[in-house]
Amino acid sequence: MTNYEIPTEQWAQVVEKSGGPAIYKKIPVQQPGPDEVLVNVKYSGVCHTDLHAMKGDWPLDTKLPLVGGHEGAGIVVAKGTLVDDSDLPLGSHVGIKWLNGSCLACSFCQQADEPLCQKALLSGYTVDGTFQQYAIAKAAHVARIPEGVDLDAVAPVLCAGITVYKGLKESGARPGQWVAIVGAGGGLGSMAIQYAKAMGLHTIAIDGGSVEKEESCKKLGAAAYVDFAKSKDLVADVKKATPDGLGPHAVLLLAVQEKPFQQATEYVRSRGSVVCIGLPAKAYLKAPVFDTVVRMITIKGSYVGNRQDTAEALDFYARGLIQVPYKTVGLSELQNVYTMMEEGKIVGRYVVDTSK
Ligand code: NAD
Ligand code: ZN
Ligand code: ZN
């Protein structure tokens, strides 16, 4: 067993007031509690949720000051007395995801719906996350990253990958069917195209704003691309993209705008499902009752994934089925990533390297 030298201070990005900015500074390294591990975070993906958290977009307060981040991949360097060596020896490769911990005892936790636990701890939101060199998570919840998997490339799987994989399962779409991915060029969207492909689904990618997004979606395997900014009749264009013109069997809504949430029931196929995953601020869903009833449409939400979804999403990755474009920059450059994200300019994901 390796023993790691743990510094008392480390670099982190800290949000001191709601609205931001994130400030790159040194803060103390914390000690893990009995059921926790201390992870030397090597890389962390930057999810749009981190931007929502900094801006205070949602009707749920964040802790302050806050270290954001919840796609952290790293190495266990210390652990509490209750963490078994046979389970998580020092040196294990792990991921810190959005669900940092849950009570494991409530009716939701007992049924593997731990994201719904009332006592859930959220990385980079209600507890400090992975935009620091040493982060803490509950041992029961850290993702077990298979040996040999690159920690930078796998980081985006820890939120984006798990979330879209779960969303695709929740959609009920079966191999051979069609799924529209709304926000397909972004972090979750790029993952969704690849997971859908691996699950034997055809995808219609919907995004806009740049040629790079269209090229990237097609390269990832999308059968069709609809540019929401250029299309004169988005509903008709999406339906036309399916061979019989009746529309996709499912829609994954990953965009950070309200409008697509109002449009999806218009182009989803009868008996299809609309799965809401993106979380635009102060947005509402709207659907005509008549059509929803007589076309038997399902509208549902999907929220990250449980520990089993995590293991499965990582297994798809480890088998080489998921290859999503990402760019790596230093942790010190996080604020620039937020600016690009706000402008909708990111294709795929940005990953921060905590050593820079
Ligand atoms: P991102 O910024 O990488 O991608 C969003 C994409 O949506 C961009 O490519 C943008 O161009 C596109 N877009 C904007 N308007 C659109 C429109 N009208 N039609 C189609 N596309 C449009 O963001 P991300 O990191 O992929 O996150 C997406 C959303 O998902 C965020 O709101 C985030 O908080 C949320 N999220 C939810 C969960 C969950 O468990 N439900 C988990 C992770 C993230
Ligand atoms: Zn996320
Ligand atoms: Zn619980």
Side-chain angles (χ1 to χ4, degrees), residues 47-49 70-71 98 159-160 188 349:
C47 177
H48 208 113
T49 292
H70 58 275
E71 284 185 350
W98 177 247
C159 176
L188 267 64
R349 243 326 176 234

Side-chain angles (χ1 to χ4, degrees), residues 207-215 225 227 230 344-345 347:
D207 209 312
S210 72
V211 206
E212 290 81 41
K213 284 196 181 163
E214 175 168 2
E215 283 169 357
Y225 181 84
D227 188 319
K230 287 193 193 147
K345 286 197 179 137
V347 181

Side-chain angles (χ1 to χ4, degrees), residues 269-314:
R269 194 184 195 86
S270 294
R271 222 200 229 292
S273 56
V274 173
V275 183
C276 303
I277 294 174
L279 290 158
K282 300 182 183 72
Y284 282 83
L285 276 163
K286 202 175 84 184
V289 172
F290 185 82
D291 271 20
T292 309
V293 173
V294 305
R295 301 211 298 110
M296 297 186 71
I297 294 165
T298 303
I299 303 172
K300 51 156 69 175
S302 184
Y303 180 44
V304 290
N306 63 21
R307 288 174 291 166
Q308 180 64 25
D309 301 315
T310 301
E312 289 172 15
L314 282 167

Side-chain angles (χ1 to χ4, degrees), residues 199-212:
M199 292 160 90
L201 296 157
H202 301 282
T203 51
I204 303 166
I206 307 172
D207 209 312
S210 72
V211 206
E212 290 81 41

Side-chain angles (χ1 to χ4, degrees), residues 69-85:
H70 58 275
E71 284 185 350
I75 295 166
V76 175
V77 290
K79 58 195 180 72
T81 49
L82 297 176
V83 184
D84 203 291
D85 246 352

Side-chain angles (χ1 to χ4, degrees), residues 33-54:
D35 60 344
E36 293 173 338
V37 288
L38 179 69
V39 179
N40 176 201
V41 179
K42 297 292 185 193
Y43 297 95
S44 179
V46 184
C47 177
H48 208 113
T49 292
D50 300 312
L51 180 56
H52 291 299
M54 183 177 76

Side-chain angles (χ1 to χ4, degrees), residues 324-329 337 340 345-352:
V324 163
Y326 68 97
K327 287 203 178 97
T328 308
V329 296
V337 179
M340 285 184 280
K345 286 197 179 137
I346 297 179
V347 181
R349 243 326 176 234
Y350 267 79
V351 170
V352 292

